[in-house]
Amino acid sequence: EIVLTQSPGTLSLSPGERATLSCRTSQRVSGIYLAWYQQKPGQAPRLLISGTFTRATGIPDRFSGSGSGTDFTLAISRLEPEDFATYYCYQYDTSPYTFGQGTKLEIK
Amino acid sequence: EVQLVESGGGMVQPGRSLTLSCAASGFSIDGYAMHWVRQVPGKGLEWVSGINWNSARIAYADSVKGRFTISRDNVKNSLYLQMNSLRIEDTALYYCAKDRRRSSSEITCADYWGPGTQVTVSS
């Protein structure tokens, strides 16, 4: 199975700063099959981005995705208080589909 | 409004079976792939299984292959997960989720999720 490794495990930033989250895959993943989710405590995950770049409905444009091959990135341009959460990357290129272990974005 | 509601969770002994159900409302699951994803409280997400809109394509995580069976009833607008030979490590919150793409033979990524149902495997 394809292993997704996210870094850093925890990212401490202040509102207004830029966040950059990394997802590295153990095998090449087609860019059209990489997604990002946000999860807050006690809530189900929320789809942010699919196909590496495409924001889901209602997702603000401060969220952007990039990458190819084995290296993918989620960027949040100007952190808002509601952005502090855990983020997961997910590949649906090759079954079994897999999630990364998550990056917790916390307020500094 | 899209809604997914899981049921059937509970506490069960190792080796026993349990069947989870997911009732969809606000949309027809016919035409959409569906997923089961689980999460141990305080831990990460684990994709468990997916089924495409007409059940022609089904996939499982290695950790559940041969023990779990996913199925769907498009008429009843429901998704199921039959879990056999349960292990302590299957203890988790199980989410039902709707695939983002309509009328695709593929299983892709989920855009709507239910609140989950807790499964606890313990002797």
Side-chain angles (χ1 to χ4, degrees), chain B residues 1 16 18 31-32 36 57 61 63 65 91 94 109 113:
Chain B
E1 179 190 6
R16 304 298 290 266
L18 206 59
Y32 290 97
W36 288 102
R57 182 168 181 182
S63 58
K65 193 176 294 184
T91 295
Y94 283 73
C109 58
W113 300 60

PDB file of all heavy atoms in Angstrom, chain B residues 1 16 18 31-32 36 57 61 63 65 91 94 109 113:
ATOM      1  N   GLU B   1     -30.714  18.883   1.889  1.00  0.00           N
ATOM      2  CA  GLU B   1     -29.447  18.818   2.624  1.00  0.00           C
ATOM      3  C   GLU B   1     -28.981  17.362   2.704  1.00  0.00           C
ATOM      4  O   GLU B   1     -29.740  16.485   3.109  1.00  0.00           O
ATOM      5  CB  GLU B   1     -29.620  19.380   4.033  1.00  0.00           C
ATOM      6  CG  GLU B   1     -28.355  19.323   4.887  1.00  0.00           C
ATOM      7  CD  GLU B   1     -28.631  19.665   6.342  1.00  0.00           C
ATOM      8  OE1 GLU B   1     -29.799  19.840   6.732  1.00  0.00           O
ATOM      9  OE2 GLU B   1     -27.650  19.738   7.111  1.00  0.00           O
ATOM     10  N   ARG B  16     -16.497 -11.963  17.364  1.00  0.00           N
ATOM     11  CA  ARG B  16     -17.912 -11.872  17.012  1.00  0.00           C
ATOM     12  C   ARG B  16     -18.110 -10.973  15.794  1.00  0.00           C
ATOM     13  O   ARG B  16     -17.155 -10.424  15.225  1.00  0.00           O
ATOM     14  CB  ARG B  16     -18.715 -11.350  18.204  1.00  0.00           C
ATOM     15  CG  ARG B  16     -18.551 -12.181  19.461  1.00  0.00           C
ATOM     16  CD  ARG B  16     -19.038 -13.607  19.287  1.00  0.00           C
ATOM     17  NE  ARG B  16     -20.480 -13.701  19.160  1.00  0.00           N
ATOM     18  CZ  ARG B  16     -21.305 -13.931  20.185  1.00  0.00           C
ATOM     19  NH1 ARG B  16     -20.817 -14.082  21.405  1.00  0.00           N
ATOM     20  NH2 ARG B  16     -22.613 -14.029  19.978  1.00  0.00           N
ATOM     21  N   LEU B  18     -20.624  -7.905  13.664  1.00  0.00           N
ATOM     22  CA  LEU B  18     -21.450  -6.718  13.810  1.00  0.00           C
ATOM     23  C   LEU B  18     -21.725  -6.166  12.419  1.00  0.00           C
ATOM     24  O   LEU B  18     -20.840  -6.239  11.543  1.00  0.00           O
ATOM     25  CB  LEU B  18     -20.712  -5.678  14.655  1.00  0.00           C
ATOM     26  CG  LEU B  18     -21.485  -4.644  15.458  1.00  0.00           C
ATOM     27  CD1 LEU B  18     -22.428  -5.316  16.456  1.00  0.00           C
ATOM     28  CD2 LEU B  18     -20.515  -3.717  16.188  1.00  0.00           C
ATOM     29  N   GLY B  31     -25.664   6.273  -8.041  1.00  0.00           N
ATOM     30  CA  GLY B  31     -24.837   7.152  -8.846  1.00  0.00           C
ATOM     31  C   GLY B  31     -23.574   7.597  -8.143  1.00  0.00           C
ATOM     32  O   GLY B  31     -22.664   8.127  -8.773  1.00  0.00           O
ATOM     33  N   TYR B  32     -23.509   7.384  -6.827  1.00  0.00           N
ATOM     34  CA  TYR B  32     -22.325   7.790  -6.066  1.00  0.00           C
ATOM     35  C   TYR B  32     -21.640   6.581  -5.438  1.00  0.00           C
ATOM     36  O   TYR B  32     -22.305   5.702  -4.882  1.00  0.00           O
ATOM     37  CB  TYR B  32     -22.694   8.743  -4.938  1.00  0.00           C
ATOM     38  CG  TYR B  32     -23.125  10.111  -5.393  1.00  0.00           C
ATOM     39  CD1 TYR B  32     -24.480  10.421  -5.523  1.00  0.00           C
ATOM     40  CD2 TYR B  32     -22.196  11.102  -5.689  1.00  0.00           C
ATOM     41  CE1 TYR B  32     -24.888  11.673  -5.938  1.00  0.00           C
ATOM     42  CE2 TYR B  32     -22.587  12.354  -6.102  1.00  0.00           C
ATOM     43  CZ  TYR B  32     -23.936  12.638  -6.228  1.00  0.00           C
ATOM     44  OH  TYR B  32     -24.336  13.880  -6.633  1.00  0.00           O
ATOM     45  N   TRP B  36     -16.500   3.705   3.846  1.00  0.00           N
ATOM     46  CA  TRP B  36     -16.407   3.583   5.293  1.00  0.00           C
ATOM     47  C   TRP B  36     -14.980   3.978   5.690  1.00  0.00           C
ATOM     48  O   TRP B  36     -14.016   3.489   5.100  1.00  0.00           O
ATOM     49  CB  TRP B  36     -16.701   2.174   5.768  1.00  0.00           C
ATOM     50  CG  TRP B  36     -18.140   1.765   5.675  1.00  0.00           C
ATOM     51  CD1 TRP B  36     -18.710   0.980   4.722  1.00  0.00           C
ATOM     52  CD2 TRP B  36     -19.191   2.120   6.582  1.00  0.00           C
ATOM     53  NE1 TRP B  36     -20.056   0.828   4.972  1.00  0.00           N
ATOM     54  CE2 TRP B  36     -20.378   1.512   6.114  1.00  0.00           C
ATOM     55  CE3 TRP B  36     -19.265   2.883   7.756  1.00  0.00           C
ATOM     56  CZ2 TRP B  36     -21.615   1.640   6.766  1.00  0.00           C
ATOM     57  CZ3 TRP B  36     -20.478   3.023   8.396  1.00  0.00           C
ATOM     58  CH2 TRP B  36     -21.642   2.404   7.908  1.00  0.00           C
ATOM     59  N   ARG B  57     -17.342  -2.235  -8.420  1.00  0.00           N
ATOM     60  CA  ARG B  57     -15.987  -2.075  -7.902  1.00  0.00           C
ATOM     61  C   ARG B  57     -16.049  -1.934  -6.384  1.00  0.00           C
ATOM     62  O   ARG B  57     -16.755  -1.056  -5.858  1.00  0.00           O
ATOM     63  CB  ARG B  57     -15.307  -0.861  -8.520  1.00  0.00           C
ATOM     64  CG  ARG B  57     -13.893  -0.697  -8.030  1.00  0.00           C
ATOM     65  CD  ARG B  57     -13.100   0.297  -8.818  1.00  0.00           C
ATOM     66  NE  ARG B  57     -11.731   0.387  -8.288  1.00  0.00           N
ATOM     67  CZ  ARG B  57     -10.798   1.202  -8.746  1.00  0.00           C
ATOM     68  NH1 ARG B  57     -11.078   2.016  -9.741  1.00  0.00           N
ATOM     69  NH2 ARG B  57      -9.602   1.223  -8.232  1.00  0.00           N
ATOM     70  N   ALA B  61      -9.284  -1.979   2.849  1.00  0.00           N
ATOM     71  CA  ALA B  61      -7.980  -1.852   3.465  1.00  0.00           C
ATOM     72  C   ALA B  61      -7.446  -3.253   3.741  1.00  0.00           C
ATOM     73  O   ALA B  61      -8.209  -4.194   4.000  1.00  0.00           O
ATOM     74  CB  ALA B  61      -8.088  -1.060   4.756  1.00  0.00           C
ATOM     75  N   SER B  63      -6.090  -4.303   6.310  1.00  0.00           N
ATOM     76  CA  SER B  63      -6.347  -4.687   7.700  1.00  0.00           C
ATOM     77  C   SER B  63      -7.720  -5.338   7.883  1.00  0.00           C
ATOM     78  O   SER B  63      -7.962  -5.991   8.900  1.00  0.00           O
ATOM     79  CB  SER B  63      -6.246  -3.459   8.609  1.00  0.00           C
ATOM     80  OG  SER B  63      -7.161  -2.459   8.191  1.00  0.00           O
ATOM     81  N   LYS B  65      -9.498  -6.810   4.966  1.00  0.00           N
ATOM     82  CA  LYS B  65      -9.801  -7.665   3.813  1.00  0.00           C
ATOM     83  C   LYS B  65     -10.003  -9.111   4.263  1.00  0.00           C
ATOM     84  O   LYS B  65      -9.225  -9.640   5.050  1.00  0.00           O
ATOM     85  CB  LYS B  65      -8.674  -7.580   2.789  1.00  0.00           C
ATOM     86  CG  LYS B  65      -9.012  -8.156   1.437  1.00  0.00           C
ATOM     87  CD  LYS B  65      -7.866  -7.941   0.453  1.00  0.00           C
ATOM     88  CE  LYS B  65      -7.650  -6.495   0.145  1.00  0.00           C
ATOM     89  NZ  LYS B  65      -6.588  -6.288  -0.883  1.00  0.00           N
ATOM     90  N   THR B  91     -11.567  -1.561  17.164  1.00  0.00           N
ATOM     91  CA  THR B  91     -12.252  -0.565  17.979  1.00  0.00           C
ATOM     92  C   THR B  91     -12.001   0.831  17.425  1.00  0.00           C
ATOM     93  O   THR B  91     -10.858   1.253  17.251  1.00  0.00           O
ATOM     94  CB  THR B  91     -11.761  -0.637  19.440  1.00  0.00           C
ATOM     95  OG1 THR B  91     -12.130  -1.898  19.985  1.00  0.00           O
ATOM     96  CG2 THR B  91     -12.369   0.488  20.272  1.00  0.00           C
ATOM     97  N   TYR B  94     -16.687   4.636  13.434  1.00  0.00           N
ATOM     98  CA  TYR B  94     -16.821   4.312  12.016  1.00  0.00           C
ATOM     99  C   TYR B  94     -17.696   5.356  11.330  1.00  0.00           C
ATOM    100  O   TYR B  94     -18.853   5.562  11.714  1.00  0.00           O
ATOM    101  CB  TYR B  94     -17.428   2.920  11.844  1.00  0.00           C
ATOM    102  CG  TYR B  94     -16.428   1.813  12.098  1.00  0.00           C
ATOM    103  CD1 TYR B  94     -16.002   1.532  13.391  1.00  0.00           C
ATOM    104  CD2 TYR B  94     -15.881   1.078  11.054  1.00  0.00           C
ATOM    105  CE1 TYR B  94     -15.059   0.548  13.636  1.00  0.00           C
ATOM    106  CE2 TYR B  94     -14.944   0.079  11.284  1.00  0.00           C
ATOM    107  CZ  TYR B  94     -14.544  -0.170  12.581  1.00  0.00           C
ATOM    108  OH  TYR B  94     -13.607  -1.152  12.814  1.00  0.00           O
ATOM    109  N   CYS B 109     -12.802  10.364  -3.573  1.00  0.00           N
ATOM    110  CA  CYS B 109     -12.700  10.933  -2.231  1.00  0.00           C
ATOM    111  C   CYS B 109     -14.082  11.350  -1.750  1.00  0.00           C
ATOM    112  O   CYS B 109     -14.970  11.640  -2.540  1.00  0.00           O
ATOM    113  CB  CYS B 109     -11.724  12.100  -2.191  1.00  0.00           C
ATOM    114  SG  CYS B 109     -12.125  13.454  -3.315  1.00  0.00           S
ATOM    115  N   TRP B 113     -19.859  13.429   5.186  1.00  0.00           N
ATOM    116  CA  TRP B 113     -19.616  12.387   6.171  1.00  0.00           C
ATOM    117  C   TRP B 113     -20.749  12.384   7.205  1.00  0.00           C
ATOM    118  O   TRP B 113     -21.312  13.426   7.528  1.00  0.00           O
ATOM    119  CB  TRP B 113     -18.305  12.668   6.919  1.00  0.00           C
ATOM    120  CG  TRP B 113     -17.089  12.711   6.051  1.00  0.00           C
ATOM    121  CD1 TRP B 113     -16.845  13.557   5.002  1.00  0.00           C
ATOM    122  CD2 TRP B 113     -15.925  11.895   6.170  1.00  0.00           C
ATOM    123  NE1 TRP B 113     -15.604  13.305   4.461  1.00  0.00           N
ATOM    124  CE2 TRP B 113     -15.017  12.297   5.156  1.00  0.00           C
ATOM    125  CE3 TRP B 113     -15.555  10.864   7.041  1.00  0.00           C
ATOM    126  CZ2 TRP B 113     -13.774  11.698   4.990  1.00  0.00           C
ATOM    127  CZ3 TRP B 113     -14.316  10.266   6.884  1.00  0.00           C
ATOM    128  CH2 TRP B 113     -13.435  10.684   5.864  1.00  0.00           C
TER     129      TRP B 113
END
